[in-house]
Amino acid sequence: MDFKVETLGPCRKKIAVVIPPERIGEEYDKKYDEINEAVAMPGFRPGKAPRKLLERRFSERLGDEIKNDLVKAALEELFEDEEQKVQPLAPPDIDIEALELDPSEPFEFDFELVTQPEFETPAYKELEVKVPPVEVSDEEVDTQIEQLLRRSATLETVEDGKVEDDDVLIVDWQALDGDSVEARDTGAYYPYGRGVLAGFVAESLDEQLAGKQAGAEATATVQVAADDPREELRDRELELKVTLKEIKRYELPPLDEKFLEKHDYDDEDELREDMQKRIERAKSRQRDGMAEQLLVEQLLDGVEISLPEDFVEKELENWALRKRMSLQMEKVEDDEIAKQIDAARDDTKAAIERDMQRHFLLERIAKEEEIEVTEAEMVQSIEEIATAYGHPVEQVAAQFRDQGRLAELQSEIRQRKARGAIRATANLVEDPSMLEEDAGADDKAAKKKASKKKAAKKKTAKKKAAKKKAE
């Protein structure tokens, strides 16, 4: 077979194929031999029917089969040819029925193909990257011990007490539409500080009940979610009236000899030492993950990977569709939806391109490192996913099979191993200043969260005031 490869643009090639008559004749001979052995012709023993008789009866059907076989063989030979270096990103669209085949003439056809990006593999070994040092404070150890104690905590009623953080409140509630009670419950558990009661998002309840005692009341305007399991309440704005009946608080067990013995510790020093090691291991894993991410981004900054534009546009349109559906569920007006999508389109496209480039880079490195994904690794990954979501392993495995996502999972594992291979040879330089940056980022995130919460409460108050004014 003869191939002529023409580059049309980034990740796009035109392939012209010429198959000589000799190869076509070999395919016909093989097919007729198979038919002669398999089909009983009247008056002839199996395998002894004349070729001309077989041609008169089967030539038309064989022509279509041989075209399919020749095209398939040509693609396999092309993609395996190391000199051509054609790596498809998607199967070519070839109208085989429209192709003409004459056994006495060369079989010629051409097609366009979207190929994987062509780029030089960057030097990915022995890189240098700055990471924060792994440090564990006494406060972190105390927090870890408190969490261990909390697992054995008991929920006790607070007599004549006031609501504090992390309390569990026992409340009666009613969801009202005017004077009509649409839903209600008594003795419901409300974890204070989460702003969610019985599926209703009502953050203002926390502010109203802060420091209050049993008997206190609170009211909040809530917008029921569009996918709420209570169909009759979906998408409705209701008034939530709450009466605090009881305050419960977690009582931690004493850190005594009995508790230490239960958890296989000889004394408190051994407990603290073990907790410190656990925190160190967790922080080391987190730091390794950060190093891998920084190393991959460092490599991406130094390599140019051109992408197939139609693939990028397809992903961009998929994002726009998901964004539109999400905003429609929030009852956002069509004009505003269009504005939000247009405003975010350029940044989203850049993020999609970066994700694609990261994918191709890691796949290339995985190939260079000859990384394979074992069946045991696939099973382990599915088990971890099942555990995280609380679903049976068999169910998760069936979903991956039925949805055709096993190749995607395999790619994720392979790329994770590729990131590990990059980090394994890298020089991780500890930079204490990064700890300060992380602390600053945490403070900033906390302030942002508080600001959002305050804005949400303000919005709820405005809605409530507007409703009262309308009444």
Side-chain angles (χ1 to χ4, degrees):
M1 296 186 186
D2 182 49
F3 302 101
K4 182 180 178 183
V5 180
E6 178 185 354
T7 300
L8 301 178
C11 303
R12 189 170 292 280
K13 297 182 183 296
K14 182 177 181 180
I15 316 293
V17 183
V18 179
I19 303 177
E22 294 81 12
R23 178 63 183 274
I24 301 171
E26 290 172 4
E27 288 294 321
Y28 269 103
D29 290 343
K30 185 172 69 174
K31 287 291 184 183
Y32 279 123
D33 287 344
E34 291 173 358
I35 292 173
N36 211 349
E37 292 294 335
V39 178
M41 300 294 289
F44 298 95
R45 286 180 295 153
K48 300 298 182 180
R51 172 70 174 262
K52 289 188 178 297
L53 179 62
L54 296 173
E55 289 176 352
R56 283 199 301 269
R57 184 166 177 179
F58 298 104
S59 61
E60 185 175 345
R61 191 191 79 185
L62 277 185
D64 292 336
E65 289 185 12
I66 288 173
K67 280 195 297 185
N68 274 289
D69 291 346
L70 288 172
V71 170
K72 182 180 178 182
L75 293 177
E76 290 176 354
E77 189 173 321
L78 173 66
F79 300 153
E80 292 173 3
D81 190 334
E82 293 185 1
E83 291 185 8
Q84 298 292 352
K85 295 182 180 179
V86 175
Q87 296 179 300
L89 195 54
D93 184 14
I94 303 175
D95 186 359
I96 297 177
E97 290 186 4
L99 301 179
E100 295 184 0
L101 176 64
D102 183 343
S104 63
E105 298 289 337
F107 181 39
E108 301 182 10
F109 61 94
D110 58 59
F111 57 90
E112 291 187 9
L113 184 69
V114 179
T115 61
Q116 294 190 27
E118 298 176 3
F119 59 94
E120 291 293 328
T121 306
Y124 59 88
K125 293 182 181 292
E126 299 181 359
L127 300 175
E128 185 174 293
V129 64
K130 291 183 179 181
V131 294
V134 173
E135 296 181 0
V136 180
S137 66
D138 291 338
E139 290 76 11
E140 289 174 311
V141 174
D142 292 339
T143 300
Q144 195 76 6
I145 292 174
E146 183 180 342
Q147 290 176 359
L148 182 63
L149 289 167
R150 189 171 287 277
R151 294 175 197 167
S152 301
T154 55
L155 200 57
E156 304 291 344
T157 299
V158 180
E159 301 292 346
D160 300 325
K162 296 181 179 181
V163 174
E164 297 180 5
D165 290 344
D166 299 324
D167 282 348
V168 176
L169 312 183
I170 310 301
V171 301
D172 295 344
W173 61 266
Q174 293 181 328
L176 304 172
D177 187 354
D179 294 330
S180 174
V181 179
E182 301 299 309
R184 66 192 309 163
D185 194 11
T186 58
Y189 277 61
Y190 173 47
Y192 178 74
R194 297 185 185 178
V196 179
L197 170 60
F200 300 111
V201 178
E203 293 182 346
S204 63
L205 290 179
D206 290 339
E207 185 178 9
Q208 296 177 57
L209 294 174
K212 297 294 173 45
Q213 292 180 303
E217 295 183 347
T219 304
T221 301
V222 296
Q223 181 67 44
V224 186
D227 58 351
D228 193 287
R230 298 159 292 194
E231 293 185 20
E232 70 280 3
L233 302 182
R234 290 176 183 171
D235 281 329
R236 295 175 63 183
E237 187 177 83
L238 302 173
E239 187 176 46
L240 189 64
K241 287 191 173 182
V242 176
T243 301
L244 176 58
K245 307 298 289 185
E246 188 179 352
I247 302 171
K248 287 183 175 289
R249 189 167 298 154
Y250 285 102
E251 294 292 333
L252 303 184
L255 184 56
D256 54 17
E257 185 177 344
K258 182 180 177 181
F259 181 85
L260 292 167
E261 183 179 348
K262 177 183 175 182
H263 291 85
D264 296 324
Y265 294 110
D266 293 334
D267 51 38
E268 187 175 342
D269 288 340
E270 184 183 357
L271 168 63
R272 295 189 68 84
E273 183 180 350
D274 183 50
M275 291 299 162
Q276 178 164 345
K277 288 180 179 178
R278 291 188 186 192
I279 298 170
E280 284 176 349
R281 286 196 295 270
K283 285 192 170 187
S284 293
R285 287 194 297 270
Q286 184 179 10
R287 185 181 71 171
D288 286 347
M290 174 192 290
E292 290 172 7
Q293 182 178 351
L294 292 172
L295 287 164
V296 171
E297 297 308 309
Q298 180 179 326
L299 287 170
L300 281 174
D301 289 340
V303 65
E304 185 176 345
I305 304 177
S306 298
L307 299 168
E309 188 63 28
D310 48 348
F311 270 56
V312 175
E313 286 299 324
K314 183 178 179 181
E315 285 300 312
L316 188 59
E317 290 310 310
N318 288 339
W319 161 81
L321 179 61
R322 292 192 299 270
K323 182 72 173 177
R324 181 176 297 278
M325 291 175 64
S326 175
L327 293 173
Q328 285 174 341
M329 290 180 67
E330 296 175 15
K331 304 297 183 184
V332 179
E333 296 293 333
D334 288 345
D335 289 347
E336 179 60 25
I337 291 175
K339 287 180 183 178
Q340 289 193 30
I341 290 176
D342 287 343
R345 186 176 289 273
D346 289 344
D347 288 342
T348 303
K349 182 177 181 180
I352 289 172
E353 290 174 337
R354 190 74 168 184
D355 285 343
M356 284 188 174
Q357 290 166 339
R358 189 180 297 109
H359 167 85
F360 289 118
L361 173 65
L362 289 172
E363 287 291 340
R364 173 70 64 82
I365 292 173
K367 185 177 181 180
E368 297 271 348
E369 292 291 313
E370 298 182 348
I371 291 173
E372 300 290 341
V373 178
T374 65
E375 184 177 349
E377 288 170 331
M378 293 283 286
V379 171
Q380 181 183 352
S381 185
I382 288 174
E383 287 176 348
E384 290 172 355
I385 294 169
T387 301
Y389 286 93
H391 294 159
V393 175
E394 297 79 6
Q395 179 185 338
V396 175
Q399 287 175 344
F400 271 91
R401 283 194 302 270
D402 296 343
Q403 297 172 9
R405 294 176 56 205
L406 287 175
E408 177 185 336
L409 178 62
Q410 187 180 48
S411 177
E412 288 178 6
I413 298 170
R414 185 167 53 249
Q415 292 189 24
R416 183 172 70 232
K417 294 173 75 172
R419 288 193 294 269
I422 298 169
R423 175 181 51 79
T425 66
N427 178 25
L428 275 57
V429 180
E430 292 189 348
D431 182 358
S433 67
M434 295 181 73
L435 288 176
E436 299 174 7
E437 291 175 8
D438 289 343
D442 289 342
D443 290 343
K444 192 174 181 181
K447 289 178 181 178
K448 188 176 180 181
K449 186 176 180 182
S451 177
K452 273 187 168 182
K453 193 170 182 179
K454 186 176 180 181
K457 288 177 180 177
K458 204 170 183 182
K459 188 176 179 182
T460 302
K462 282 185 178 179
K463 280 187 177 180
K464 189 175 178 183
K467 187 175 181 182
K468 285 185 176 180
K469 187 176 180 181
E471 290 173 350

